């Protein structure tokens, strides 16, 4: 196991804040220790150098002052000169030898009374002697060496200064360590707070599954980038969670839609079967009914022509026969039109002119006001005959609705317009409206709320509009009226300005 692995294993259960304090204090201790060792070493070397320089100067001074004493052999003066070294506590002893190498004079410090100079110079070592520092200086007279001065100094003062410095450094180390600990405890919160916030947010998210939580970013350093990445991760999880919820909702909607489509398909299948049966029945019955109706009409016409001076009551009955024959013929026509779908015969048609012609060529109740609000700039490709049937069916329904209401407001509005990608024809009446429970069934074949008719009028309208690629929408408010919107796709319509 490497050192890094061992340290990681050793500190794996220590909180991040404590790890930061440990790193700071360890780094500070190592730094202060190295600094203190360097200071002590440099101080020791400086004191050592100063001591050597000092005893070299003293040796040179004693040698210069003792030159005459060596020349004339005056030992007393030499001893007095060397005794002056007593002012220096670091001096252990000093020795002076003549030119023959014999001891000439010496000085021994009082506290070092057991120390003495060797009787012969050859026995003295210059440098390190018994833990002290020894230096020598030659005494010259002209070009001749007449003696040598040796001085030994103790390192005791150096050791004392070094010990004092070490104690001062230890005290400084302790004070700085305590201050650094307090400062680090205060400053580490700036580092650990984002981490603490991340931990708290993670716990809340894990407990409550709330991915909308965000951690506030206070710094732009790596921790700030970590907070940003954490928030972006939460945003991504929240988006995916929303997508999952949406997917679940969409799946439910798809299931509902497919179920509805299946039901509609089933209803459509049943309706188609009914319509197929109706078509077969209509083809047979229409032929069998129209022949007797034609005979009845011919007989009534012949009867009216042969009887002179018709009684008014008889004329009224003949007119009733004619109207009911027309009604029956129209019912047969509706049945045939709905059961037999023919191909469209497209013709380019100016919508407004065509609507005007339909209104002018049709007879509407004089008690109903018909108001036209038409756009003059619309041309269409459509089957005119089938669309005439559509307009007539819707207008007939509007007139019948108004007649049922017996209101003073008896108005039908016929409105055409271009709306974005399609052309619309609105037919609005002021009849009694359609009840909400009836409105979904108005396009069902054979559905009718009236006592006459077979309920195919709007079914035929829807069928023809879908053949044109468009459709029909109905909105109604009971007591106010009904709006029927017939719309065509943009592929069938264009403006005159575009054509020109």
């Amino acid at each position: 196991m490497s050192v890094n692995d061992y340290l990681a294993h050793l500190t794996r259960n220590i909180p991040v804040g404590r790890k930061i304090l440990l790193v700071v204090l360890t780094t500070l201790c190592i730094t202060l220790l190295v600094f203190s060792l360097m200071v002590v070493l440099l101080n020791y070397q400086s004191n050592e150098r100063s001591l050597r320089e000092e005893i070299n100067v003293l040796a040179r001074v004693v040698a210069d002052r003792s030159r005459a004493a060596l020349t004339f052999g005056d030992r007393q003066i030499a001893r007095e000169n060397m005794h002056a070294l007593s002012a220096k506590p670091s001096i252990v002893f000093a020795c002076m030898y003549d030119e023959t190498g014999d001891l000439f004079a010496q000085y021994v410090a009082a506290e070092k009374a057991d120390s003495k100079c060797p009787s012969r110079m050859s026995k003295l070592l210059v440098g390190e002697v018994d833990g002290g520092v020894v230096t020598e200086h030659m005494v010259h007279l002209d070009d001749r060496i007449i003696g040598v001065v040796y001085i030994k100094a103790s390192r005791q003062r150096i050791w004392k200064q070094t010990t004092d410095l070490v104690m001062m450094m230890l005290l400084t180390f302790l004070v700085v360590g305590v201050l650094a600990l307090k400062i680090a405890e205060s400053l580490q919160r700036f580092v650990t707070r984002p981490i603490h916030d991340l931990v708290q947010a993670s716990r809340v998210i894990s407990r409550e599954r709330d991915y909308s939580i965000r951690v506030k970013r206070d710094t732009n350093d790596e921790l700030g980038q970590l907070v940003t990445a954490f928030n972006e991760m939460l945003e991504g999880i929240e988006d995916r969670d929303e997508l999952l919820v949406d997917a679940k909702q969409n799946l439910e909607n798809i299931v509902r839609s497919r179920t509805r489509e299946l039901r509609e398909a089933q209803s459509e299948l049943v309706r188609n079967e009914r319509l197929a049966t109706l078509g077969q029945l209509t083809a047979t019955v229409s032929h069998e009914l129209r022949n007797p109706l034609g005979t009845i009409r011919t007989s009534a016409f012949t009867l009216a022509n042969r009887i002179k001076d018709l009684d008014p009551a008889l004329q009224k009955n003949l007119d009733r026969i004619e109207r009911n024959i027309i009604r029956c013929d129209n019912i047969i026509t509706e049945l045939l039109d709905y059961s037999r779908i023919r191909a469209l015969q497209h013709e380019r048609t100016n919508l407004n002119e065509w609507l005007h012609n339909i209104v002018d060529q049709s007879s509407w109740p004089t008690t109903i006001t018909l108001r036209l609000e038409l756009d003059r700039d619309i041309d269409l490709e459509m089957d005119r005959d089938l669309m005439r049937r559509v307009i007539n069916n819707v207008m007939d329904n509007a007139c019948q609705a108004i007649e049922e209401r017996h209101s003073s407001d008896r108005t039908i509005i016929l409105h055409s317009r271009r709306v974005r990608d399609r052309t619309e024809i609105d037919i609005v009446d002021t009849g009694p409206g359609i009840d909400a429970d009836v409105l979904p069934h108005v396009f069902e074949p054979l559905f009718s709320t009236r006592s006459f008719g077979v309920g195919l009028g709007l079914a035929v309208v829807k069928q023809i509009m879908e053949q044109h690629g468009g459709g029909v929408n109905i909105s109604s408010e009971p007591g106010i009226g009904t709006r029927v919107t017939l719309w065509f796709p943009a592929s069938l319509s264009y403006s005159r300005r575009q054509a020109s």
Side-chain angles (χ1 to χ4, degrees), residues 252-296:
E252 293 176 354
N253 293 335
I254 291 173
V255 171
R256 286 194 294 268
S257 177
R258 293 294 184 267
T259 303
R260 184 173 59 253
E261 290 176 359
L262 287 175
R263 290 175 180 172
E264 292 176 354
Q266 184 181 10
S267 300
E268 183 68 18
L269 180 61
V270 173
R271 188 174 71 89
N272 290 337
E273 291 178 353
R274 292 173 58 190
L275 291 179
T277 303
L278 176 64
Q280 295 174 0
L281 180 62
T282 300
T284 302
V285 173
S286 62
H287 177 72
E288 298 299 331
L289 288 179
R290 275 187 167 166
N291 288 334
L293 287 176
T295 302
I296 294 172

Side-chain angles (χ1 to χ4, degrees), residues 132-227:
V133 180
V134 178
T135 188
E136 68 174 355
H137 189 79
M138 303 297 179
V139 182
H140 294 270
L141 180 64
D142 296 332
D143 294 331
R144 184 168 57 92
I145 299 175
I146 60 175
V148 181
V149 176
Y150 291 93
I151 298 179
K152 178 182 179 181
S154 173
R155 285 190 174 90
Q156 185 176 0
R157 186 183 65 178
I158 297 176
W159 288 117
K160 185 178 184 304
Q161 290 176 349
T162 302
T163 302
D164 293 342
L165 180 61
V166 169
M167 295 302 296
M168 184 179 67
M169 294 300 293
L170 289 176
L171 180 61
T172 303
F173 188 88
L174 179 61
V175 173
V176 171
V178 172
L179 291 176
L181 179 61
K182 296 297 181 181
I183 295 173
E185 285 181 346
S186 300
L187 296 180
Q188 59 95 15
R189 295 187 182 93
F190 294 101
V191 178
T192 59
R193 184 172 60 187
I195 300 177
H196 180 266
D197 293 342
L198 288 173
V199 172
Q200 291 298 111
S202 300
R203 289 175 179 172
V204 173
I205 293 169
S206 177
R207 183 175 61 253
E208 300 179 2
R209 302 296 179 183
D210 182 7
Y211 300 109
S212 63
I213 295 175
R214 297 292 182 270
V215 180
K216 181 180 179 182
R217 175 174 177 173
D218 297 324
T219 62
N220 295 322
D221 55 6
E222 289 80 358
L223 289 176
Q225 296 174 5
L226 178 61
V227 170

Side-chain angles (χ1 to χ4, degrees), residues 97 101 118-125 150:
Y97 295 91
S119 59
R120 293 291 297 174
M121 180 179 64
S122 60
K123 296 181 181 180
L124 187 67
L125 296 176
Y150 291 93

Side-chain angles (χ1 to χ4, degrees), residues 225-469:
Q225 296 174 5
L226 178 61
V227 170
T228 300
F230 182 79
N231 290 334
E232 291 176 351
M233 179 188 68
L234 289 179
E235 185 176 354
I237 294 175
E238 185 179 15
D239 291 340
R240 285 193 292 271
D241 192 59
E242 291 178 356
L243 288 176
L244 288 175
V245 173
D246 293 341
K248 179 182 177 183
Q249 186 64 38
N250 290 336
L251 182 59
E252 293 176 354
N253 293 335
I254 291 173
V255 171
R256 286 194 294 268
S257 177
R258 293 294 184 267
T259 303
R260 184 173 59 253
E261 290 176 359
L262 287 175
R263 290 175 180 172
E264 292 176 354
Q266 184 181 10
S267 300
E268 183 68 18
L269 180 61
V270 173
R271 188 174 71 89
N272 290 337
E273 291 178 353
R274 292 173 58 190
L275 291 179
T277 303
L278 176 64
Q280 295 174 0
L281 180 62
T282 300
T284 302
V285 173
S286 62
H287 177 72
E288 298 299 331
L289 288 179
R290 275 187 167 166
N291 288 334
L293 287 176
T295 302
I296 294 172
R297 173 177 288 179
T298 303
S299 299
F301 179 77
T302 303
L303 183 61
N305 288 334
R306 289 188 177 185
I307 298 177
K308 303 296 184 179
D309 300 325
L310 283 177
D311 182 59
L314 181 59
Q315 183 64 48
K316 184 177 180 181
N317 290 327
L318 291 175
D319 293 339
R320 185 181 297 114
I321 291 173
E322 180 67 21
R323 286 195 304 270
N324 283 279
I325 290 174
I326 293 173
R327 177 177 295 179
C328 292
D329 188 64
N330 290 336
I331 291 173
I332 294 172
T333 302
E334 287 183 359
L335 290 171
L336 290 174
D337 288 344
Y338 190 76
S339 60
R340 294 183 305 188
I341 301 176
R342 68 172 177 82
L344 298 179
Q345 302 296 324
H346 285 290
E347 298 180 77
R348 181 172 176 177
T349 305
N350 180 270
L351 183 61
N352 296 338
E353 294 177 358
W354 179 76
L355 289 174
H356 272 293
N357 291 335
I358 290 179
V359 171
D360 293 341
Q361 294 173 7
S362 303
S363 59
W364 312 106
T366 58
T367 58
I368 296 177
T369 302
L370 182 60
R371 191 166 74 238
L372 301 182
E373 298 176 358
L374 305 179
D375 190 332
R376 298 182 178 179
D377 196 27
I378 300 176
D379 283 358
L380 283 176
E381 292 287 340
M382 66 180 185
D383 189 313
R384 296 180 184 178
D385 293 334
L386 292 180
M387 286 307 302
R388 178 184 295 273
R389 184 65 179 274
V390 168
I391 297 299
N392 287 335
N393 282 359
V394 177
M395 291 291 290
D396 287 341
N397 286 343
C399 292
Q400 293 171 10
I402 292 176
E403 292 291 343
E404 291 176 1
R405 186 179 181 186
H406 304 293
S407 172
S408 59
D409 185 7
R410 302 165 66 83
T411 305
I412 296 177
I413 301 174
L414 186 60
H415 177 67
S416 65
R417 63 178 181 271
R418 291 287 298 275
V419 181
R420 294 186 298 276
D421 58 345
R422 66 186 193 179
T423 300
E424 294 182 351
I425 301 174
D426 284 341
I427 301 175
V428 183
D429 66 66
T430 57
I434 304 173
D435 294 335
D437 58 337
V438 175
L439 191 59
H441 305 285
V442 294
F443 292 114
E444 294 180 3
L446 307 179
F447 177 83
S448 177
T449 58
R450 298 190 177 95
S451 59
F452 58 90
V454 293
L456 289 176
L458 290 178
V460 171
V461 169
K462 181 180 179 183
Q463 180 177 278
I464 295 174
M465 293 307 300
E466 289 177 350
Q467 279 186 270
H468 282 79

